[in-house]
Amino acid sequence: MNYSIEINPLETLQSNCLIVGVYNNQQLSESAQALDKQINGLLTTIMARGDIAGKINDTLLLNVIPDSAIERILLVGLGEQKPLSAKNYRKALAAAINAVKKSRLTSVAVSLTDCDVEKADLTWKTRQIVEVFSDALYQFTACKSKSEDSATLETVVITAKTHEAEAASTGLVQGLAIAEGMTLTKQLADLPANICTPTYLAQQALTLAGAYDALEATILEVADMEQLGMGSLLAVARGSRQPAKLITLEYHGGDKNSKPIVLIGKGLTFDSGGISLKPGAGMDEMKYDMCGGAAVLGTLQAAAQLRLPLNIVGLVPASENMPDGQANKPGDILTSMSGKTIEVLNTDAEGRLILCDTLTYAQRFNPEVVIDLATLTGAVLVALGRVPSGLLGNDDALCNDLITAGETANDSVWRLPLWEEYQEQLKSNFADLANIGGKDAGTITAACFLANFAENFRWAHLDIAGTAWRTGSAKGATGRPVPLLTQYLLNRAYAGR
Ligand code: BES
Ligand code: MN
Ligand code: ZN
């Protein structure tokens, strides 16, 4: 897809379809008014007839424009004539692109940057157009033998006024970086576990490092991890025929001496539960247990594309969790890289076992902050559903920065408490820690487990089990939390903190 900014008025553009907004009081947006004059009041006539109410989600395609070189016009409802909420703006954009998808258009010109959106500037609006369109146009076709009747759209032109051109270009650049980071994340996540193995993920990191000068990848093999004493991570991998990998993808964009932001993503390429086997229904979705790792790769790609003036380290512990004669057993006691011992009371609580050694490993990068993202608990779905990601952490400033970034990026998080009282639930009679904390507060006790390995730095944990993919008939990866993390990085790079 080719996205570009155009400063000439909409009605003068060559395109298969001009997209304009209309309000529910029959008022036309600014660009729609100019266009209406050009076509002798056709839009006013149509509005007066009531053919489109102008509500959010309404669209109307005019595919013949009499006495005009304009091929088509798509009217898009904007609701009440007042600044739109960010969510309604995105809904209107989604309705527009979904209407376009139903047609065979190859080019569209969008003027929806001309309506007011609460707390939003032109950069943000442009960025949302790219993100929402790209999200709607994503298709996973890698494993289909015949190419389906796929989308025809090739060109999206976004209009801006001359004095807005720079702000719009910034939005375009950011939107593309985020959208492409999300696409990479979705593609990796949607791949089945027999293709997307730990080795495959490691190769993807090497490919990314080959594509961007500022990225560098290093892969730790099982033997390297044995040397480092990663007894917890390696125990999870023992039941699998696929060798575990610990992927490091470093982005060098900041001063040599500036401390890096470390992002850790759970890269469990298939979670069967291990000896504590999961029930069969829906187990296919456990191919998505590597979404955290995929989002780390997607975010680093976005950072590299944006040439952010920061240093960032991505760490992805990658493994399968399978039952086998060598596998972890309930009751086994592991020694982690930190020296802390762990009693495995449930082999299905494996995410924390691979993350704890990675947290310990992160310390050698002398991090400014560490953020981990993991499809860690089913319990986060009970607590928060599929709307925000769960957020827990040991540093209020870091958590607040993530909350703010999530609001801007429309990729929200909700903080849960990480109080010491919950540590009680992780007591073991036989080891320093148990790997499960009982049936209460599962998301919190999982984070409490991790907190024991994040004592020496500012750390936040995102539980993305409810947000990384959709279930049901629209099953597929979402690319979250790439927008949140990229926004956080943009804020760090350009807004002081
Ligand atoms: N990857 C799962 C978490 C998960 C489960 C994500 C369902 C999305 C949907 C994780 O490894 C896991 O199995 N967690 C267990 C922990 C329990 C054994 C304490 C869970 O949530 O059931
Ligand atoms: Mn599990
Ligand atoms: Zn898991």
Side-chain angles (χ1 to χ4, degrees), residues 266 271 278 286 289 346 348-350 352 375-378 436 465 469:
K266 175 178 175 184
D271 182 10
K278 286 183 182 294
M286 283 300 116
D289 214 13
N346 189 320
D348 198 10
E350 86 298 337
R352 59 199 83 182
T375 48
L376 203 63
T377 64
I436 54 170
W469 76 92

mmCIF file with all atom_site columns, all heavy atoms in Angstrom, residues 266 271 278 286 289 346 348-350 352 375-378 436 465 469, ligand 1:
data_model
loop_
_atom_site.group_PDB
_atom_site.id
_atom_site.type_symbol
_atom_site.label_atom_id
_atom_site.label_alt_id
_atom_site.label_comp_id
_atom_site.label_asym_id
_atom_site.label_entity_id
_atom_site.label_seq_id
_atom_site.pdbx_PDB_ins_code
_atom_site.Cartn_x
_atom_site.Cartn_y
_atom_site.Cartn_z
_atom_site.occupancy
_atom_site.B_iso_or_equiv
_atom_site.pdbx_formal_charge
_atom_site.auth_seq_id
_atom_site.auth_comp_id
_atom_site.auth_asym_id
_atom_site.auth_atom_id
_atom_site.pdbx_PDB_model_num
ATOM   1   N N   . LYS A 1 266 ? 7.444  -12.479 25.939 1.00 0.00 ? 266 LYS A N   1
ATOM   2   C CA  . LYS A 1 266 ? 7.273  -13.934 26.057 1.00 0.00 ? 266 LYS A CA  1
ATOM   3   C C   . LYS A 1 266 ? 7.135  -14.542 24.660 1.00 0.00 ? 266 LYS A C   1
ATOM   4   O O   . LYS A 1 266 ? 6.212  -14.205 23.915 1.00 0.00 ? 266 LYS A O   1
ATOM   5   C CB  . LYS A 1 266 ? 6.030  -14.242 26.908 1.00 0.00 ? 266 LYS A CB  1
ATOM   6   C CG  . LYS A 1 266 ? 5.679  -15.742 27.004 1.00 0.00 ? 266 LYS A CG  1
ATOM   7   C CD  . LYS A 1 266 ? 4.455  -15.990 27.899 1.00 0.00 ? 266 LYS A CD  1
ATOM   8   C CE  . LYS A 1 266 ? 4.021  -17.458 27.905 1.00 0.00 ? 266 LYS A CE  1
ATOM   9   N NZ  . LYS A 1 266 ? 2.793  -17.702 28.685 1.00 0.00 ? 266 LYS A NZ  1
ATOM   10  N N   . ASP A 1 271 ? 1.985  -23.411 23.670 1.00 0.00 ? 271 ASP A N   1
ATOM   11  C CA  . ASP A 1 271 ? 1.794  -23.746 25.084 1.00 0.00 ? 271 ASP A CA  1
ATOM   12  C C   . ASP A 1 271 ? 0.724  -24.821 25.225 1.00 0.00 ? 271 ASP A C   1
ATOM   13  O O   . ASP A 1 271 ? -0.468 -24.527 25.270 1.00 0.00 ? 271 ASP A O   1
ATOM   14  C CB  . ASP A 1 271 ? 1.396  -22.484 25.864 1.00 0.00 ? 271 ASP A CB  1
ATOM   15  C CG  . ASP A 1 271 ? 1.233  -22.762 27.356 1.00 0.00 ? 271 ASP A CG  1
ATOM   16  O OD1 . ASP A 1 271 ? 1.616  -23.869 27.796 1.00 0.00 ? 271 ASP A OD1 1
ATOM   17  O OD2 . ASP A 1 271 ? 0.734  -21.861 28.067 1.00 0.00 ? 271 ASP A OD2 1
ATOM   18  N N   . LYS A 1 278 ? -3.240 -28.754 29.053 1.00 0.00 ? 278 LYS A N   1
ATOM   19  C CA  . LYS A 1 278 ? -4.455 -27.949 28.919 1.00 0.00 ? 278 LYS A CA  1
ATOM   20  C C   . LYS A 1 278 ? -5.576 -28.805 28.337 1.00 0.00 ? 278 LYS A C   1
ATOM   21  O O   . LYS A 1 278 ? -5.316 -29.767 27.632 1.00 0.00 ? 278 LYS A O   1
ATOM   22  C CB  . LYS A 1 278 ? -4.196 -26.774 27.947 1.00 0.00 ? 278 LYS A CB  1
ATOM   23  C CG  . LYS A 1 278 ? -3.353 -25.658 28.520 1.00 0.00 ? 278 LYS A CG  1
ATOM   24  C CD  . LYS A 1 278 ? -3.220 -24.520 27.513 1.00 0.00 ? 278 LYS A CD  1
ATOM   25  C CE  . LYS A 1 278 ? -2.344 -23.399 28.048 1.00 0.00 ? 278 LYS A CE  1
ATOM   26  N NZ  . LYS A 1 278 ? -2.926 -22.703 29.212 1.00 0.00 ? 278 LYS A NZ  1
ATOM   27  N N   . MET A 1 286 ? -3.144 -21.408 21.526 1.00 0.00 ? 286 MET A N   1
ATOM   28  C CA  . MET A 1 286 ? -1.881 -21.285 22.271 1.00 0.00 ? 286 MET A CA  1
ATOM   29  C C   . MET A 1 286 ? -0.670 -21.144 21.350 1.00 0.00 ? 286 MET A C   1
ATOM   30  O O   . MET A 1 286 ? 0.458  -20.998 21.804 1.00 0.00 ? 286 MET A O   1
ATOM   31  C CB  . MET A 1 286 ? -1.728 -22.444 23.252 1.00 0.00 ? 286 MET A CB  1
ATOM   32  C CG  . MET A 1 286 ? -2.595 -22.244 24.496 1.00 0.00 ? 286 MET A CG  1
ATOM   33  S SD  . MET A 1 286 ? -2.148 -20.728 25.402 1.00 0.00 ? 286 MET A SD  1
ATOM   34  C CE  . MET A 1 286 ? -3.638 -19.764 25.249 1.00 0.00 ? 286 MET A CE  1
ATOM   35  N N   . ASP A 1 289 ? 0.897  -17.769 22.042 1.00 0.00 ? 289 ASP A N   1
ATOM   36  C CA  . ASP A 1 289 ? 1.592  -17.514 23.303 1.00 0.00 ? 289 ASP A CA  1
ATOM   37  C C   . ASP A 1 289 ? 2.965  -16.864 23.086 1.00 0.00 ? 289 ASP A C   1
ATOM   38  O O   . ASP A 1 289 ? 3.701  -16.629 24.037 1.00 0.00 ? 289 ASP A O   1
ATOM   39  C CB  . ASP A 1 289 ? 1.712  -18.823 24.096 1.00 0.00 ? 289 ASP A CB  1
ATOM   40  C CG  . ASP A 1 289 ? 1.625  -18.609 25.592 1.00 0.00 ? 289 ASP A CG  1
ATOM   41  O OD1 . ASP A 1 289 ? 1.230  -17.507 26.014 1.00 0.00 ? 289 ASP A OD1 1
ATOM   42  O OD2 . ASP A 1 289 ? 1.970  -19.554 26.339 1.00 0.00 ? 289 ASP A OD2 1
ATOM   43  N N   . ASN A 1 346 ? 2.656  -26.237 38.859 1.00 0.00 ? 346 ASN A N   1
ATOM   44  C CA  . ASN A 1 346 ? 1.839  -26.423 37.653 1.00 0.00 ? 346 ASN A CA  1
ATOM   45  C C   . ASN A 1 346 ? 2.732  -26.097 36.462 1.00 0.00 ? 346 ASN A C   1
ATOM   46  O O   . ASN A 1 346 ? 3.244  -24.982 36.352 1.00 0.00 ? 346 ASN A O   1
ATOM   47  C CB  . ASN A 1 346 ? 0.612  -25.493 37.709 1.00 0.00 ? 346 ASN A CB  1
ATOM   48  C CG  . ASN A 1 346 ? -0.377 -25.796 36.593 1.00 0.00 ? 346 ASN A CG  1
ATOM   49  O OD1 . ASN A 1 346 ? 0.012  -26.066 35.452 1.00 0.00 ? 346 ASN A OD1 1
ATOM   50  N ND2 . ASN A 1 346 ? -1.661 -25.751 36.917 1.00 0.00 ? 346 ASN A ND2 1
ATOM   51  N N   . ASP A 1 348 ? 1.927  -25.593 33.577 1.00 0.00 ? 348 ASP A N   1
ATOM   52  C CA  . ASP A 1 348 ? 1.281  -24.647 32.658 1.00 0.00 ? 348 ASP A CA  1
ATOM   53  C C   . ASP A 1 348 ? 1.569  -23.185 33.044 1.00 0.00 ? 348 ASP A C   1
ATOM   54  O O   . ASP A 1 348 ? 1.296  -22.273 32.264 1.00 0.00 ? 348 ASP A O   1
ATOM   55  C CB  . ASP A 1 348 ? -0.228 -24.916 32.628 1.00 0.00 ? 348 ASP A CB  1
ATOM   56  C CG  . ASP A 1 348 ? -0.917 -24.306 31.423 1.00 0.00 ? 348 ASP A CG  1
ATOM   57  O OD1 . ASP A 1 348 ? -0.206 -23.832 30.517 1.00 0.00 ? 348 ASP A OD1 1
ATOM   58  O OD2 . ASP A 1 348 ? -2.165 -24.315 31.396 1.00 0.00 ? 348 ASP A OD2 1
ATOM   59  N N   . ALA A 1 349 ? 2.104  -22.975 34.216 1.00 0.00 ? 349 ALA A N   1
ATOM   60  C CA  . ALA A 1 349 ? 2.522  -21.606 34.574 1.00 0.00 ? 349 ALA A CA  1
ATOM   61  C C   . ALA A 1 349 ? 3.984  -21.465 34.148 1.00 0.00 ? 349 ALA A C   1
ATOM   62  O O   . ALA A 1 349 ? 4.890  -21.286 34.968 1.00 0.00 ? 349 ALA A O   1
ATOM   63  C CB  . ALA A 1 349 ? 2.337  -21.369 36.068 1.00 0.00 ? 349 ALA A CB  1
ATOM   64  N N   . GLU A 1 350 ? 4.203  -21.597 32.822 1.00 0.00 ? 350 GLU A N   1
ATOM   65  C CA  . GLU A 1 350 ? 5.563  -21.656 32.260 1.00 0.00 ? 350 GLU A CA  1
ATOM   66  C C   . GLU A 1 350 ? 6.090  -20.294 31.837 1.00 0.00 ? 350 GLU A C   1
ATOM   67  O O   . GLU A 1 350 ? 7.299  -20.103 31.768 1.00 0.00 ? 350 GLU A O   1
ATOM   68  C CB  . GLU A 1 350 ? 5.593  -22.632 31.080 1.00 0.00 ? 350 GLU A CB  1
ATOM   69  C CG  . GLU A 1 350 ? 5.189  -22.036 29.722 1.00 0.00 ? 350 GLU A CG  1
ATOM   70  C CD  . GLU A 1 350 ? 3.758  -21.503 29.670 1.00 0.00 ? 350 GLU A CD  1
ATOM   71  O OE1 . GLU A 1 350 ? 2.941  -21.956 30.486 1.00 0.00 ? 350 GLU A OE1 1
ATOM   72  O OE2 . GLU A 1 350 ? 3.470  -20.630 28.839 1.00 0.00 ? 350 GLU A OE2 1
ATOM   73  N N   . ARG A 1 352 ? 6.102  -17.403 33.310 1.00 0.00 ? 352 ARG A N   1
ATOM   74  C CA  . ARG A 1 352 ? 6.900  -16.766 34.354 1.00 0.00 ? 352 ARG A CA  1
ATOM   75  C C   . ARG A 1 352 ? 8.256  -17.459 34.520 1.00 0.00 ? 352 ARG A C   1
ATOM   76  O O   . ARG A 1 352 ? 9.232  -16.845 34.927 1.00 0.00 ? 352 ARG A O   1
ATOM   77  C CB  . ARG A 1 352 ? 6.098  -16.733 35.662 1.00 0.00 ? 352 ARG A CB  1
ATOM   78  C CG  . ARG A 1 352 ? 5.684  -18.084 36.163 1.00 0.00 ? 352 ARG A CG  1
ATOM   79  C CD  . ARG A 1 352 ? 4.545  -18.012 37.169 1.00 0.00 ? 352 ARG A CD  1
ATOM   80  N NE  . ARG A 1 352 ? 3.232  -17.921 36.533 1.00 0.00 ? 352 ARG A NE  1
ATOM   81  C CZ  . ARG A 1 352 ? 2.087  -17.803 37.185 1.00 0.00 ? 352 ARG A CZ  1
ATOM   82  N NH1 . ARG A 1 352 ? 2.073  -17.766 38.512 1.00 0.00 ? 352 ARG A NH1 1
ATOM   83  N NH2 . ARG A 1 352 ? 0.957  -17.730 36.522 1.00 0.00 ? 352 ARG A NH2 1
ATOM   84  N N   . THR A 1 375 ? 1.628  -12.957 27.233 1.00 0.00 ? 375 THR A N   1
ATOM   85  C CA  . THR A 1 375 ? 0.299  -13.573 27.312 1.00 0.00 ? 375 THR A CA  1
ATOM   86  C C   . THR A 1 375 ? 0.364  -14.502 28.527 1.00 0.00 ? 375 THR A C   1
ATOM   87  O O   . THR A 1 375 ? 0.476  -15.709 28.392 1.00 0.00 ? 375 THR A O   1
ATOM   88  C CB  . THR A 1 375 ? 0.041  -14.367 26.026 1.00 0.00 ? 375 THR A CB  1
ATOM   89  O OG1 . THR A 1 375 ? 1.208  -15.176 25.762 1.00 0.00 ? 375 THR A OG1 1
ATOM   90  C CG2 . THR A 1 375 ? -0.201 -13.455 24.834 1.00 0.00 ? 375 THR A CG2 1
ATOM   91  N N   . LEU A 1 376 ? 0.300  -13.891 29.712 1.00 0.00 ? 376 LEU A N   1
ATOM   92  C CA  . LEU A 1 376 ? 0.729  -14.637 30.900 1.00 0.00 ? 376 LEU A CA  1
ATOM   93  C C   . LEU A 1 376 ? -0.377 -15.393 31.615 1.00 0.00 ? 376 LEU A C   1
ATOM   94  O O   . LEU A 1 376 ? -0.145 -16.484 32.117 1.00 0.00 ? 376 LEU A O   1
ATOM   95  C CB  . LEU A 1 376 ? 1.441  -13.688 31.875 1.00 0.00 ? 376 LEU A CB  1
ATOM   96  C CG  . LEU A 1 376 ? 2.387  -14.387 32.849 1.00 0.00 ? 376 LEU A CG  1
ATOM   97  C CD1 . LEU A 1 376 ? 3.528  -15.068 32.106 1.00 0.00 ? 376 LEU A CD1 1
ATOM   98  C CD2 . LEU A 1 376 ? 2.964  -13.421 33.871 1.00 0.00 ? 376 LEU A CD2 1
ATOM   99  N N   . THR A 1 377 ? -1.580 -14.793 31.704 1.00 0.00 ? 377 THR A N   1
ATOM   100 C CA  . THR A 1 377 ? -2.619 -15.471 32.496 1.00 0.00 ? 377 THR A CA  1
ATOM   101 C C   . THR A 1 377 ? -4.004 -15.399 31.840 1.00 0.00 ? 377 THR A C   1
ATOM   102 O O   . THR A 1 377 ? -4.414 -14.354 31.324 1.00 0.00 ? 377 THR A O   1
ATOM   103 C CB  . THR A 1 377 ? -2.757 -14.834 33.908 1.00 0.00 ? 377 THR A CB  1
ATOM   104 O OG1 . THR A 1 377 ? -3.199 -13.488 33.799 1.00 0.00 ? 377 THR A OG1 1
ATOM   105 C CG2 . THR A 1 377 ? -1.463 -14.911 34.690 1.00 0.00 ? 377 THR A CG2 1
ATOM   106 N N   . GLY A 1 378 ? -4.734 -16.517 31.923 1.00 0.00 ? 378 GLY A N   1
ATOM   107 C CA  . GLY A 1 378 ? -6.138 -16.497 31.551 1.00 0.00 ? 378 GLY A CA  1
ATOM   108 C C   . GLY A 1 378 ? -6.919 -15.596 32.502 1.00 0.00 ? 378 GLY A C   1
ATOM   109 O O   . GLY A 1 378 ? -7.952 -15.028 32.137 1.00 0.00 ? 378 GLY A O   1
ATOM   110 N N   . ILE A 1 436 ? 2.958  -21.028 41.196 1.00 0.00 ? 436 ILE A N   1
ATOM   111 C CA  . ILE A 1 436 ? 1.561  -20.594 41.113 1.00 0.00 ? 436 ILE A CA  1
ATOM   112 C C   . ILE A 1 436 ? 1.109  -20.086 42.484 1.00 0.00 ? 436 ILE A C   1
ATOM   113 O O   . ILE A 1 436 ? 1.665  -20.474 43.511 1.00 0.00 ? 436 ILE A O   1
ATOM   114 C CB  . ILE A 1 436 ? 0.597  -21.705 40.623 1.00 0.00 ? 436 ILE A CB  1
ATOM   115 C CG1 . ILE A 1 436 ? 0.729  -22.956 41.483 1.00 0.00 ? 436 ILE A CG1 1
ATOM   116 C CG2 . ILE A 1 436 ? 0.831  -22.017 39.164 1.00 0.00 ? 436 ILE A CG2 1
ATOM   117 C CD1 . ILE A 1 436 ? -0.352 -23.996 41.204 1.00 0.00 ? 436 ILE A CD1 1
ATOM   118 N N   . ALA A 1 465 ? -2.712 -11.234 27.570 1.00 0.00 ? 465 ALA A N   1
ATOM   119 C CA  . ALA A 1 465 ? -3.463 -12.445 27.179 1.00 0.00 ? 465 ALA A CA  1
ATOM   120 C C   . ALA A 1 465 ? -4.852 -12.109 26.630 1.00 0.00 ? 465 ALA A C   1
ATOM   121 O O   . ALA A 1 465 ? -5.404 -12.870 25.837 1.00 0.00 ? 465 ALA A O   1
ATOM   122 C CB  . ALA A 1 465 ? -3.567 -13.396 28.375 1.00 0.00 ? 465 ALA A CB  1
ATOM   123 N N   . TRP A 1 469 ? -4.719 -11.147 20.749 1.00 0.00 ? 469 TRP A N   1
ATOM   124 C CA  . TRP A 1 469 ? -5.422 -11.740 19.610 1.00 0.00 ? 469 TRP A CA  1
ATOM   125 C C   . TRP A 1 469 ? -6.910 -11.768 19.880 1.00 0.00 ? 469 TRP A C   1
ATOM   126 O O   . TRP A 1 469 ? -7.355 -11.637 21.015 1.00 0.00 ? 469 TRP A O   1
ATOM   127 C CB  . TRP A 1 469 ? -4.893 -13.147 19.297 1.00 0.00 ? 469 TRP A CB  1
ATOM   128 C CG  . TRP A 1 469 ? -5.329 -14.229 20.219 1.00 0.00 ? 469 TRP A CG  1
ATOM   129 C CD1 . TRP A 1 469 ? -6.418 -15.052 20.079 1.00 0.00 ? 469 TRP A CD1 1
ATOM   130 C CD2 . TRP A 1 469 ? -4.682 -14.665 21.439 1.00 0.00 ? 469 TRP A CD2 1
ATOM   131 N NE1 . TRP A 1 469 ? -6.477 -15.949 21.134 1.00 0.00 ? 469 TRP A NE1 1
ATOM   132 C CE2 . TRP A 1 469 ? -5.435 -15.736 21.967 1.00 0.00 ? 469 TRP A CE2 1
ATOM   133 C CE3 . TRP A 1 469 ? -3.531 -14.243 22.116 1.00 0.00 ? 469 TRP A CE3 1
ATOM   134 C CZ2 . TRP A 1 469 ? -5.084 -16.392 23.151 1.00 0.00 ? 469 TRP A CZ2 1
ATOM   135 C CZ3 . TRP A 1 469 ? -3.187 -14.900 23.296 1.00 0.00 ? 469 TRP A CZ3 1
ATOM   136 C CH2 . TRP A 1 469 ? -3.953 -15.945 23.797 1.00 0.00 ? 469 TRP A CH2 1
HETATM 137 N N1  . BES B 2 .   ? -0.282 -18.834 28.072 1.00 0.00 ? 1   BES B N1  1
HETATM 138 C C1  . BES B 2 .   ? -1.085 -19.102 29.212 1.00 0.00 ? 1   BES B C1  1
HETATM 139 C C2  . BES B 2 .   ? -2.033 -17.946 29.529 1.00 0.00 ? 1   BES B C2  1
HETATM 140 C C3  . BES B 2 .   ? -3.291 -17.880 28.722 1.00 0.00 ? 1   BES B C3  1
HETATM 141 C C4  . BES B 2 .   ? -4.325 -18.768 28.953 1.00 0.00 ? 1   BES B C4  1
HETATM 142 C C5  . BES B 2 .   ? -3.470 -16.900 27.787 1.00 0.00 ? 1   BES B C5  1
HETATM 143 C C6  . BES B 2 .   ? -5.501 -18.674 28.233 1.00 0.00 ? 1   BES B C6  1
HETATM 144 C C7  . BES B 2 .   ? -4.647 -16.785 27.079 1.00 0.00 ? 1   BES B C7  1
HETATM 145 C C8  . BES B 2 .   ? -5.657 -17.689 27.295 1.00 0.00 ? 1   BES B C8  1
HETATM 146 C C9  . BES B 2 .   ? -0.199 -19.322 30.432 1.00 0.00 ? 1   BES B C9  1
HETATM 147 O O1  . BES B 2 .   ? 0.993  -19.966 30.184 1.00 0.00 ? 1   BES B O1  1
HETATM 148 C C10 . BES B 2 .   ? -0.976 -20.193 31.354 1.00 0.00 ? 1   BES B C10 1
HETATM 149 O O2  . BES B 2 .   ? -1.239 -21.296 31.003 1.00 0.00 ? 1   BES B O2  1
HETATM 150 N N2  . BES B 2 .   ? -1.333 -19.678 32.518 1.00 0.00 ? 1   BES B N2  1
HETATM 151 C C11 . BES B 2 .   ? -2.101 -20.414 33.456 1.00 0.00 ? 1   BES B C11 1
HETATM 152 C C12 . BES B 2 .   ? -1.541 -20.129 34.827 1.00 0.00 ? 1   BES B C12 1
HETATM 153 C C13 . BES B 2 .   ? -2.108 -21.015 35.893 1.00 0.00 ? 1   BES B C13 1
HETATM 154 C C14 . BES B 2 .   ? -1.631 -22.444 35.685 1.00 0.00 ? 1   BES B C14 1
HETATM 155 C C15 . BES B 2 .   ? -1.650 -20.494 37.226 1.00 0.00 ? 1   BES B C15 1
HETATM 156 C C16 . BES B 2 .   ? -3.553 -19.959 33.345 1.00 0.00 ? 1   BES B C16 1
HETATM 157 O O3  . BES B 2 .   ? -3.781 -18.755 33.143 1.00 0.00 ? 1   BES B O3  1
HETATM 158 O O4  . BES B 2 .   ? -4.430 -20.799 33.397 1.00 0.00 ? 1   BES B O4  1
#
